[in-house]
Amino acid sequence: MQATIAGFYHGDAGATRAFCQEALTHLEEQQWAARVQMAFAQARANVSQGYVERGVLQLQAEWSRIKAKGDQTLESIYWREAVWESTMAGKLHQAWQLSQQAIHALQTLEGPQPTQICWPYTYQARILHEWNRLEEAQHLAEQAIELGEQTELLAFLPLAYTLLLRITLSQGRLEEARKASRQLEYAWRNSPSPYRAAIWSSVDQMRFWLAGGDLEQARRWAREVKLGDPLDSPLARERQNVAFARLLLAESQADQALNLLIPLVERATVTQRWNHVLEMWLLQIQAYLMLQRQREALSLLAQAVHLGASEGYIHHFVDGGAAIAGLLSQLREQEHQKEDLPYLETLLRAFKQQPVAQPTHLESEPSSRPPQPLLDPLSTREQEVLRLLASGASNQDIAEALVVAISTVKHHISNILSKLEATNRTQAVARARTLGLLSSDTLD
């Protein structure tokens, strides 16, 4: 039990392995079920360190014995762990097949086991979201949440609400995303675990704050994490750093974001966590674009397309916004690797199908009314910086044009993003144009 708690709730690989070794000294050979649970705990220890493939292999080594013994409890745990780890390894089709098998197995059981079906439902909803089947994903996620709430599976609910938050953000339904965020916060209070909060929720919470223009909340979270004790799990720390990188990009600190992301990508590549590699590559691409390093952005996007094609990744790309769509169009025009062209077309169609973000009920206005002025107007210098941003100028270009330090430019850009409730330069310029803050000669 101590090994299970150390692995599942704390992600402490050292403690998990120590408890496993101690437990094994007391177990007889015929106590096979307890030995299988120790194998599960050791698999979790490997995953907490980012070694997902090792974890998968440890699980697979126990499957034949679990199946032969017909232990339904261990079988349900096996499915849950195997699907989660396959998803992190970027094997979406394999994870889908495993989750289908899990659902079939659980539906044939009697007693309390069918309640565990909420786990594979959630994993399938996550995959459907990535494949851009958003309505199906939401329906399945809501089913899972209903089951989890009915049976009070407190350890499960934060994962489900995180997924619901992700889906509603992708649908542009900000009011529903806000509701999901509140439910997520409540679920974590009922089942606190900083480790699981980091690996399950930190990135999506950051995306929500940035989508809503709540930079102050995002910065507050970052300060609290930096001031707190570092988590034992390298995987959890990576997830937190990916959230930090998103905040840095929102604040136009592309250099710092790259410095953070590059070593993370290297480690995720070594450990073959292709889901995370793809996510971080796309953030790197956004940083390259902000730094006017177009060639590097295009080269890395070509790699990302090739990686994502076999498993049908869509929303990793779509969530990158218009800048990623523009680069994808360039790849298509260059007749990038012909085997990837159908996939490129699928990605570009997905961008065209993206819903427009719906304002909250407090912000809703008839479309015929003109845009409202900013509550906190841009200063004269911020307007100058905005015009230069709209022309495609880099931080260095702006600093030279205005004869100021780059740090001053970054400060102005941060203020502009906050006032325009934007998460990046492209979004800020688009909103400024909507509000009539850019003159026609700037548009040309």
Side-chain angles (χ1 to χ4, degrees):
M1 183 60 72
Q2 286 178 309
T4 298
I5 291 170
F8 186 74
Y9 288 95
H10 302 296
D12 187 339
T16 302
R17 291 188 179 114
F19 286 131
C20 284
Q21 290 173 359
E22 178 66 19
L24 289 170
T25 64
H26 298 283
L27 289 171
E28 302 294 338
E29 187 61 36
Q30 64 268 25
Q31 294 175 288
W32 71 272
R35 288 180 173 273
V36 168
Q37 291 186 59
M38 290 302 92
F40 286 168
Q42 291 186 29
R44 292 191 194 105
N46 275 317
V47 170
S48 73
Q49 292 185 305
Y51 297 111
V52 174
E53 196 66 28
R54 291 184 192 174
V56 171
L57 291 173
Q58 283 176 306
L59 291 175
Q60 291 174 345
E62 301 298 328
W63 172 240
S64 58
R65 181 157 55 171
I66 296 170
K67 190 66 176 174
K69 296 289 186 178
D71 188 298
Q72 297 175 348
T73 299
L74 291 179
E75 190 171 335
S76 67
I77 296 172
Y78 168 83
W79 291 121
R80 185 181 76 197
E81 299 292 328
V83 175
W84 170 253
E85 292 171 25
S86 295
T87 303
M88 276 200 289
K91 299 175 181 178
L92 301 187
H93 294 298
Q94 176 179 293
W96 180 267
Q97 291 170 356
L98 287 169
S99 63
Q100 287 284 75
Q101 293 172 35
I103 290 169
H104 175 73
L106 289 167
Q107 285 175 336
T108 61
L109 301 179
E110 297 180 358
Q113 289 306 314
T115 61
Q116 296 295 322
I117 207 168
C118 58
W119 289 95
Y121 275 178
T122 301
Y123 296 143
Q124 283 203 336
R126 179 175 176 168
I127 297 168
L128 288 170
H129 167 267
E130 186 56 47
W131 287 342
N132 203 34
R133 293 159 62 178
L134 300 184
E135 290 186 8
E136 295 173 74
Q138 182 174 0
H139 177 69
L140 208 51
E142 288 172 346
Q143 277 188 276
I145 288 171
E146 184 177 355
L147 276 172
E149 289 178 337
Q150 286 175 356
T151 54
E152 297 184 348
L153 292 175
L154 298 183
F156 157 78
L157 288 172
L159 177 64
Y161 283 125
T162 298
L163 178 61
L164 188 60
L165 174 61
R166 182 181 304 179
I167 293 168
T168 51
L169 280 176
S170 294
Q171 292 170 325
R173 294 154 63 181
L174 298 183
E175 188 60 42
E176 291 191 32
R178 183 171 286 109
K179 179 182 177 182
S181 177
R182 289 195 296 266
Q183 291 169 316
L184 175 59
E185 291 173 4
Y186 181 75
W188 279 127
R189 285 198 297 271
N190 284 334
S191 181
S193 169
Y195 163 67
R196 287 185 298 128
I199 63 171
W200 287 356
S201 305
S202 57
V203 173
D204 290 289
Q205 284 183 309
M206 179 60 71
R207 288 185 59 237
F208 167 67
W209 294 324
L210 297 180
D214 195 353
L215 282 173
E216 183 50 44
Q217 175 59 50
R219 290 166 180 153
R220 187 182 307 121
W221 175 86
R223 286 194 298 270
E224 289 173 356
V225 170
K226 288 177 181 178
L227 291 172
D229 294 329
L231 296 174
D232 293 305
S233 162
L235 178 62
R237 295 197 300 272
E238 176 200 285
R239 297 288 83 204
Q240 290 176 330
N241 280 323
V242 170
F244 288 148
R246 288 180 176 273
L247 175 58
L248 289 169
L249 289 173
E251 295 177 321
S252 298
Q253 298 184 57
D255 285 318
Q256 291 91 325
L258 275 178
N259 291 337
L260 193 59
L261 287 167
I262 289 172
L264 297 179
V265 170
E266 289 175 354
R267 190 172 190 280
T269 301
V270 169
T271 55
Q272 301 180 56
R273 284 182 288 109
W274 303 115
N275 188 351
H276 294 157
V277 169
L278 183 58
E279 173 193 15
M280 291 186 281
W281 272 357
L282 289 161
L283 293 177
Q284 280 185 269
I285 290 164
Q286 293 177 49
Y288 285 141
L289 288 174
M290 293 173 71
L291 295 168
Q292 309 296 310
R293 293 162 64 176
Q294 183 87 3
R295 183 177 299 177
E296 290 165 280
L298 201 57
S299 174
L300 189 55
L301 184 61
Q303 294 180 58
V305 166
H306 193 64
L307 174 61
S310 62
E311 297 294 338
Y313 279 92
I314 293 178
H315 255 283
H316 270 44
F317 292 89
V318 169
D319 290 338
I324 298 295
L327 275 187
L328 288 169
S329 295
Q330 290 184 45
L331 277 182
R332 181 181 58 182
E333 291 165 8
Q334 294 175 7
E335 294 190 353
H336 169 73
Q337 299 184 32
K338 291 187 177 180
E339 68 268 25
D340 292 336
L341 284 177
Y343 177 56
L344 269 172
E345 294 292 347
T346 298
L347 289 176
L348 289 168
R349 281 196 301 272
F351 276 97
K352 292 176 183 177
Q353 296 165 358
Q354 274 302 98
V356 176
Q358 298 175 4
T360 66
H361 67 280
L362 296 175
E363 300 166 336
S364 299
E365 297 178 341
S367 58
S368 59
R369 293 180 59 182
Q372 296 301 301
L374 297 178
L375 294 176
D376 186 4
L378 300 179
S379 68
T380 301
R381 180 46 64 96
E382 287 166 355
Q383 292 175 35
E384 293 172 345
V385 172
L386 176 63
R387 284 193 289 273
L388 289 167
L389 283 178
S391 71
S394 66
N395 287 359
Q396 183 66 46
D397 295 334
I398 297 171
E400 292 174 359
L402 301 180
V403 195
V404 295
I406 289 181
S407 59
T408 303
V409 172
K410 291 178 179 177
H411 175 72
H412 288 314
I413 292 174
S414 177
N415 286 343
I416 291 168
L417 293 174
S418 179
K419 291 179 180 181
L420 289 173
E421 298 183 349
T423 60
N424 55 51
R425 294 170 179 234
T426 303
Q427 195 179 92
V429 170
R431 178 153 169 72
R433 286 174 176 163
T434 301
L435 293 171
L437 300 177
L438 291 168
S439 59
S440 58
D441 57 338
T442 304
L443 291 173
D444 295 335

